Amino acid sequence: MLESTLKEQLKGIFAGLNANYTFDISISPAHESRQELLDLLGDVASCSDKISMRVSDGDGLEFILLKDGAKTGIKFRGVPNGHEFTSLLLAILNSDGKGKNFPDESICNRVKALNGPIHLTTYVSLTCTNCPDVVQALNAMTTLNPQIHHEMVDGAINQAEVDALKIQGVPSVFADGKLIHVGRGEFGELLSKLEAQYGINESLTEKTVKRYDVVVVGGGPAGASSAIYSARKGLSVAVVAERIGGQVKETVGIENLISVPETTGTQLADNLRLHMRQYPIDLLEHRRIEKVTIEGNEKVLSTAGGEIFKAPAVIIATGASWRKLNVPGEAEYIGRGVAFCPHCDGPFYKGKHVAVVGGGNSGIEAAIDLAGICSKVTVLEFMDELKADQVLQEKAKSLPNVEIFVSSQTTEVVGNGDKVTGIRTKDRKTGEERVIHLDGIFVQIGLAANSGVFKEIVETNRPGEIVIDAHCRTNVPGIYAAGDVSTVPFKQIIISMGEGAKAALSAFEDRVRGVLD
């Protein structure tokens, strides 16, 4: 099943294993995926004498990972190929205390402090590019805290279960039967949700205070640029971020980053991390700033985990997030008909009628993609004309199962208590209201600035963007903003990088001039 080249690579990856691992497989003799699973796990086991497998008859298809004969708490109910193959490999490496996906010590200690027992189940699609991040994060947590148990479930071969739970979006994470997360998720976000539900053992946590010359909040293009330029000036720098790469990681293809003809969001995020690691920059990922205060010229930033960062200069580069409709029914039906990622959740609506709200590039691209899966796609644009590039408009209009309505205001997401059944719209010209009966709604209406925690400290405009001058300075000395979170026009990767460099140079100039003393 695995190519010989990949097997050779796996032999190298597993060469340093210390413990012995067993795939303990329980599978029905008649299961249609039986041979596929046995072939896959057999190939993986053949790459190391530290890995073996044993098979017993069961009712379905599942296997658990054993370490030296003991349960690790990690289970797979499905065939972990496709995007989830890496999740299988990392489950073994993480159980052995290895793998580059482990967070830093402070975050690991937060995981260890979680109260248990905690039983987690993640429903995935093997075509979903966001699912592996969630599966791998929760598997890593399982290896850190013996009170945590996690199983990955392939929705395609457990369809009855998915239908019973009324799942319409992946990844969907259940904690002891309660849905706690749907869609893309980072380690820190998932950890915060588990802390909120289960609490922590305070005796296992400790508050720390760290001081730097510059603290950069945000790890996207603007944040990375700010950090690199600051470090090149010889300053002590920390990047505090929920994830390195930021919004870039959700971009599939990038073709307008000058001198780089083509790349992906994931690759660019990896390159940002790699470049920052060339300098003595503290990369403090999986953290969200929850409180900001000012003590004299010193800015004090506190995280949910109890860490405190102090610096005379702070560069806010927190970017933006997908904007929501904020209409009745939307929050209630997220993951049950309301979705934000057509690539991940589109397959759930095969042969069904969906709406795309938003006529910009992202909305029309989503409509074109969904048209190949769904029976009908209805595009709803608030303005009097589409905002997407002309080439995209022409493509969408050429598709027989795509209909487009402009001057359409979404007023309500309609459902039956279990799932979405329609969308209520209002014609902005005539005032006429109607309900379009459908099965799913993909929201693609742009981005909102992630400025919330800073709004009480610095000036923001009506949309929530942080107001800056031509040098990225805010109205508070020593606080700067760069990229999509700011009022800079045109939210583009290359502009954010330039703004990040500008903010760092402005902070350094203020330091030389004594403004930050």
Side-chain angles (χ1 to χ4, degrees), residues 18 252 299 306 314 349 380 404 457 506 512:
N18 295 312
V252 177
K299 287 73 183 176
V314 170
Y349 300 91
L380 302 169
I404 299 173
I457 303 295
S506 295
V512 172

Side-chain angles (χ1 to χ4, degrees), residues 314-332:
V314 170
I315 299 174
I316 305 168
T318 44
S321 300
W322 289 113
R323 193 185 301 274
K324 295 181 179 179
L325 294 169
N326 293 319
V327 299
E330 179 187 32
E332 180 183 355

Side-chain angles (χ1 to χ4, degrees), residues 284-327:
L284 306 173
E285 202 172 1
H286 310 304
R287 292 163 169 83
R288 175 178 292 181
I289 300 298
E290 289 204 337
K291 183 180 179 182
V292 182
T293 59
I294 298 177
E295 299 175 357
N297 279 349
E298 197 165 54
K299 287 73 183 176
V300 183
L301 300 93
S302 305
T303 70
E307 294 171 285
I308 297 174
F309 305 101
K310 295 185 176 183
V314 170
I315 299 174
I316 305 168
T318 44
S321 300
W322 289 113
R323 193 185 301 274
K324 295 181 179 179
L325 294 169
N326 293 319
V327 299

Side-chain angles (χ1 to χ4, degrees), residues 195-516:
E195 288 173 332
Q197 178 158 335
Y198 294 97
I200 61 172
N201 184 340
E202 296 284 354
S203 67
L204 298 179
T205 64
E206 59 176 315
K207 291 189 176 182
T208 60
V209 179
K210 297 180 180 179
R211 285 181 169 81
Y212 297 90
D213 295 324
V214 179
V215 171
V216 178
V217 186
S225 179
S226 297
I228 290 168
Y229 266 74
S230 295
R232 287 176 62 86
K233 293 295 185 181
L235 304 179
S236 60
V237 182
V239 173
V240 182
E242 293 184 50
R243 55 175 177 165
I244 301 302
Q247 191 74 17
V248 158
K249 292 193 73 173
E250 296 181 25
T251 304
V252 177
I254 299 169
E255 298 177 349
N256 58 352
L257 184 58
I258 309 305
S259 84
V260 182
E262 185 177 354
T263 187
T264 66
T266 300
Q267 185 60 55
L268 179 56
D270 290 343
N271 288 339
L272 292 177
R273 183 191 301 274
L274 179 64
H275 198 171
M276 284 190 284
R277 289 205 181 281
Q278 305 301 309
Y279 297 90
I281 298 170
D282 284 354
L283 298 184
L284 306 173
E285 202 172 1
H286 310 304
R287 292 163 169 83
R288 175 178 292 181
I289 300 298
E290 289 204 337
K291 183 180 179 182
V292 182
T293 59
I294 298 177
E295 299 175 357
N297 279 349
E298 197 165 54
K299 287 73 183 176
V300 183
L301 300 93
S302 305
T303 70
E307 294 171 285
I308 297 174
F309 305 101
K310 295 185 176 183
V314 170
I315 299 174
I316 305 168
T318 44
S321 300
W322 289 113
R323 193 185 301 274
K324 295 181 179 179
L325 294 169
N326 293 319
V327 299
E330 179 187 32
E332 180 183 355
Y333 289 105
I334 289 177
R336 296 189 295 160
V338 174
F340 298 87
C341 179
H343 302 291
C344 299
D345 298 336
F348 285 97
Y349 300 91
K350 183 177 181 180
K352 297 181 179 181
H353 182 188
V354 301
V356 174
V357 183
N361 282 348
S362 60
I364 299 304
E365 286 175 348
I368 293 169
D369 288 343
L370 291 167
I373 303 172
C374 304
S375 61
K376 186 176 181 181
V377 180
T378 300
V379 177
L380 302 169
E381 166 56 39
F382 181 84
M383 302 301 289
D384 296 336
E385 60 182 20
L386 298 179
K387 298 171 289 183
D389 293 343
Q390 190 62 36
V391 64
L392 293 174
Q393 292 189 40
E394 292 173 359
K395 174 64 175 176
K397 291 175 181 178
S398 73
L399 299 173
N401 60 336
V402 174
E403 61 179 5
I404 299 173
F405 296 98
V406 297
S407 304
S408 295
Q409 178 182 355
T410 299
T411 59
E412 182 184 0
V413 172
V414 181
N416 61 9
D418 292 328
K419 62 182 181 179
V420 165
T421 58
I423 186 168
R424 187 182 302 276
T425 67
K426 177 181 179 181
D427 188 305
R428 293 177 50 250
K429 291 184 176 179
T430 66
E432 179 185 356
E433 290 195 11
R434 64 169 177 156
V435 173
I436 302 172
H437 298 286
L438 41 70
D439 304 290
I441 300 167
F442 287 83
V443 181
Q444 300 282 295
I445 57 173
L447 303 170
N450 295 326
S451 59
V453 72
F454 300 99
K455 285 185 176 180
E456 300 300 318
I457 303 295
V458 297
E459 180 186 357
T460 58
N461 62 12
R462 187 174 178 180
E465 298 169 326
I466 296 174
V467 178
I468 59 172
D469 64 13
H471 298 269
C472 295
R473 296 184 177 98
T474 69
N475 63 314
V476 178
I479 300 183
Y480 312 82
D484 289 5
V485 74
S486 76
T487 51
V488 65
F490 310 118
K491 312 304 186 183
Q492 298 289 309
I493 293 171
I494 195 166
I495 292 175
S496 292
M497 288 180 171
E499 290 292 296
K502 190 195 299 181
L505 294 173
S506 295
F508 182 73
E509 181 179 73
D510 289 348
R511 180 184 180 89
V512 172
R513 291 169 50 221
V515 174
L516 305 182

